[in-house]
């Protein structure tokens, strides 16, 4: 750490031309083009996230939103770094999504939540990402996964701790996983999971992270796609109210593999069905109730994804304000 000027930076961040060693995590339905532009303009690396609802038209909409936001700021889109985050099983179903992402010329492409060693999609995306001169990155929940990713040729791996919001394989706490993954691989390691304030960022940088991969802290930003009612839930919730569950996926029949449940803020509906997902899958009335609530944006029923760092969210802030709070500037 360097004293006096807030948080230190890292060689990895400097190499990407970033002022701050912070990547805004790809978050489907949250991290769109406006947020990606705002984070990058503020000195971090913004990303566009394509989750289970990802599609080529959705990606094109967010790429256009990024360009519009940068144009308003008087910045040439080609001069502003950004990333695109995809899910492995999503590009296996729709390979055009990866092709469209590569055509956009991102600085970084992440593909997470796949099975290393599996032929489809396996690691075929990595040479494709390298082919456009971008960095290939993935999230890992275990040392074995991080090693497999490094062996397959990723340029950096995100050690994603169990504290993290949204989908993932929630196992080890962030700091323990970061230390183990750093000891196991010879590539830069980013840290994810409840990096919500300056102390968290300083802690992971001191532990040797190349950058922090921050989701929840940016989820209620002015520039995020998050609906107003969902932001209110984020401001009112605490980390202890989060739960790792498949209820949302089962209720909507979303095709997330069972080994990647999501950390979300509990609602009475989640409490009623958590641990009884098979019964929920068979209960058409309950699922219809959930679908209606989702269509209406009723967050008393529908849970909002968040990590345990949600405590730090108390009011709407711009991405620049969140980044300033993280870096202590
Ligand atoms: C609302 C939300 C949506 C997410 N969607 C995605 C996604 O589409 N793709 C992905 O790779 N990760 C996704 N994630 C996980 C993030 O990449 C990251 O692992 C996580 O946000 C880090 O923990 P934090 O939320 O405590 O900062 C999502 C996270 C959140 C909170």
């Amino acid at each position: 750490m360097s004293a006096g000027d807030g948080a230190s930076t890292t060689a990895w961040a400097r190499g990407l031309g970033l002022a701050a060693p912070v990547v805004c995590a790809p978050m489907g339905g949250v991290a769109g083009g406006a947020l990606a532009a705002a984070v990058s303009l503020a000195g971090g690396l913004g990303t566009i996230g394509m989750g289970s609802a990802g599609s080529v038209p959705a990606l094109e909409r967010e790429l256009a939103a990024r360009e519009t936001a940068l144009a308003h700021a008087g910045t040439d889109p080609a001069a502003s770094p950004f990333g695109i985050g995809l899910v492995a099983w999503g590009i296996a179903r729709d390979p055009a999504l990866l092709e469209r992402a590569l055509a956009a010329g991102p600085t970084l492409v992440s593909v997470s939540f796949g099975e290393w060693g599996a032929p489809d999609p396996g690691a075929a995306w990595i040479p494709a990402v390298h082919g456009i001169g971008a960095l290939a990155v993935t999230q890992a929940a275990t040392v074995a996964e991080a090693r497999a990713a490094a062996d397959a040729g990723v340029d950096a791996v995100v050690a994603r701790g169990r504290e993290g919001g949204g989908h993932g394989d929630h196992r080890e706490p962030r700091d323990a996983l970061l230390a183990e993954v750093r000891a196991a691989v010879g590539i830069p390691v980013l840290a994810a999971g409840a990096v919500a304030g300056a102390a968290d960022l300083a802690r992971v940088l001191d532990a040797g992270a190349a950058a922090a991969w921050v989701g929840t802290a940016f989820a209620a930003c002015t520039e995020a796609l998050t609906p107003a009612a969902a932001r209110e839930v984020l401001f009112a919730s605490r980390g202890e109210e989060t739960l790792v569950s498949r209820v949302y996926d089962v209720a909507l029949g979303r095709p997330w593999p069972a080994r990647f449940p999501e950390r979300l803020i509990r609602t009475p509906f989640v409490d009623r069905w958590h641990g009884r997902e098979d019964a929920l899958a068979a209960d058409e009335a309950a699922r219809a109730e959930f679908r209606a609530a989702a269509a209406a944006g009723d967050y008393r029923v529908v849970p909002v994804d968040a990590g345990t760092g949600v405590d730090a969210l108390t009011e709407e802030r711009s991405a620049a304000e969140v980044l300033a709070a993280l870096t202590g500037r």
Side-chain angles (χ1 to χ4, degrees):
M1 297 289 295
S2 63
D5 62 345
S8 61
T9 189
T10 64
W12 189 83
R14 271 195 303 274
L16 289 177
L18 309 179
V22 173
V23 177
C24 176
M27 294 181 277
V30 170
L35 184 60
V39 172
S40 292
L41 284 171
L45 185 72
T47 68
I48 293 174
M50 288 284 122
S52 46
S55 66
V56 171
L59 177 57
E60 286 183 339
R61 190 182 61 230
E62 297 311 327
L63 289 167
R66 173 180 169 270
E67 298 209 351
T68 302
L70 291 171
H72 279 144
T75 297
D76 176 4
S80 181
F82 78 111
I84 298 178
L86 307 168
V87 294
W89 54 268
I91 60 172
R93 284 194 316 176
D94 183 6
L97 195 50
L98 176 61
E99 284 164 30
R100 185 64 190 90
L102 297 179
T107 316
L108 175 156
V109 175
S110 79
V111 175
S112 297
F113 313 131
E115 302 299 334
W116 294 100
D120 187 13
W125 60 275
I126 298 173
V129 170
H130 287 158
I132 63 150
L135 293 183
V137 175
T138 194
Q139 300 183 67
T142 64
V143 167
E145 217 178 359
R147 272 210 190 96
D151 290 348
V154 296
D155 301 289
V157 65
V158 181
R160 183 189 189 277
R162 56 174 294 125
E163 302 92 334
H167 288 89
D169 183 0
H170 301 83
R171 298 192 192 207
E172 284 195 63
R174 178 197 68 211
D175 293 341
L177 182 65
L178 173 62
E180 289 167 23
V181 171
R182 281 197 72 236
V185 300
I187 55 174
V189 181
L190 282 68
V195 177
D200 306 313
L201 180 61
R203 189 179 175 90
V204 299
L205 295 180
D206 281 347
W213 180 272
V214 179
T216 299
F218 285 108
C221 281
T222 320
E223 301 91 344
L225 296 172
T226 311
R231 288 167 203 236
E232 293 303 323
V233 173
L234 290 166
F235 300 143
S237 299
R238 304 199 46 83
E240 309 93 77
E241 294 166 62
T242 68
L243 179 73
V244 175
S245 178
R246 296 200 65 240
V247 165
Y248 195 161
D249 288 337
V250 171
L252 282 191
R254 297 192 300 195
W256 274 92
R259 95 174 181 85
F260 300 112
E262 71 201 299
R263 186 176 288 282
L264 42 70
I265 297 164
R266 297 161 57 169
T267 66
F269 187 95
V270 172
D271 285 343
R272 184 159 13 117
W273 293 104
H274 184 67
R276 299 199 301 128
E277 287 79 4
D278 288 347
L280 174 59
D283 191 324
E284 185 43 44
R287 295 180 59 203
E289 173 199 338
F290 190 90
R291 276 197 303 275
D298 185 351
Y299 295 100
R300 293 167 302 181
V301 176
V302 177
V304 178
D305 276 0
T308 61
V310 70
D311 298 37
L313 302 187
T314 53
E315 59 184 352
E316 196 165 309
R317 291 179 295 174
S318 67
E321 288 171 322
V322 170
L323 198 63
L326 283 167
T327 56
R329 291 207 177 95

